[in-house]
Amino acid sequence: MGVGIYWLDSGALISEKNGLYAPELVPAFWTFIETQLKNGNVRMPKKCFDEVTDGNDWLAKWCKDRKNIGHFCCKSSGKDVQQRYAAIAAHVIEKHPQHAAAEFLRGGDGWVMAHAAASGGFVVTEELRNQYKSKVKIPTLSKTLRIP
């Protein structure tokens, strides 16, 4: 049995770049991520990729330079992913205030979750369940919808 696919939320890479795994402190971390990209174990939905690469910092350049490695920037979403996203969106709209749902659906978080659910993979995020209770958070929603 192979390793599952780890679907990255844009914030996961941003927080690592700005924190304990800054490239100048732990370059081996970024080499490891690149190896996992090549092996197809780490991926990112296009919406999240666009969030990370919307700038000119080190991380934006690093990601742009690796865009075509493996399936890092997943440019398309199959029918199963689309259906999973629709279910996630419907849940968010039904269970959360309109402003919180709109903010969540503008970003890539729902797509990370949909890809993970459709592929049997895992969501990787830096978000915490109890952080910013007024926002829709990936860990809370993942737990509710049983998406690892």
Side-chain angles (χ1 to χ4, degrees):
M1 185 168 159
V3 174
I5 298 170
Y6 292 85
W7 290 92
L8 301 179
D9 171 34
S10 56
L13 286 181
I14 293 167
S15 67
E16 298 311 328
K17 187 240 345 164
N18 294 332
L20 296 174
Y21 293 95
E24 64 276 6
L25 298 176
V26 190
F29 172 79
W30 298 94
T31 301
F32 172 78
I33 295 297
E34 184 170 3
T35 300
Q36 297 310 306
L37 293 173
K38 290 175 183 174
N39 293 339
N41 298 327
V42 172
R43 300 179 186 179
M44 181 178 274
K46 182 170 185 335
K47 183 80 171 170
C48 294
F49 185 86
D50 291 345
E51 290 172 357
V52 173
T53 58
D54 183 30
N56 296 312
D57 68 349
W58 179 89
L59 182 59
K61 182 176 179 346
W62 188 87
C63 289
K64 288 174 187 174
D65 290 347
R66 288 154 184 81
K67 181 177 183 175
N68 296 315
I69 294 178
H71 296 280
F72 181 30
C73 175
C74 187
K75 298 174 186 118
S76 63
S77 302
K79 185 177 180 179
D80 193 25
V81 173
Q82 296 285 336
Q83 290 172 337
R84 302 284 181 138
Y85 182 81
I88 291 165
H91 176 85
V92 168
I93 290 166
E94 179 185 335
K95 301 288 184 183
H96 296 276
Q98 184 178 6
H99 70 279
E103 182 180 346
F104 178 84
L105 296 172
R106 257 193 310 274
D109 293 357
W111 291 106
V112 172
M113 295 175 65
H115 279 280
S119 68
F122 306 92
V123 176
V124 178
T125 184
E126 89 297 352
E127 293 180 359
L128 301 173
R129 258 187 283 184
N130 58 356
Q131 183 183 34
Y132 309 114
K133 292 195 183 272
S134 64
K135 293 179 74 174
V136 180
K137 305 306 286 181
I138 291 174
T140 304
L141 197 52
S142 291
K143 182 177 181 184
T144 300
L145 300 177
R146 299 180 182 192
I147 300 170

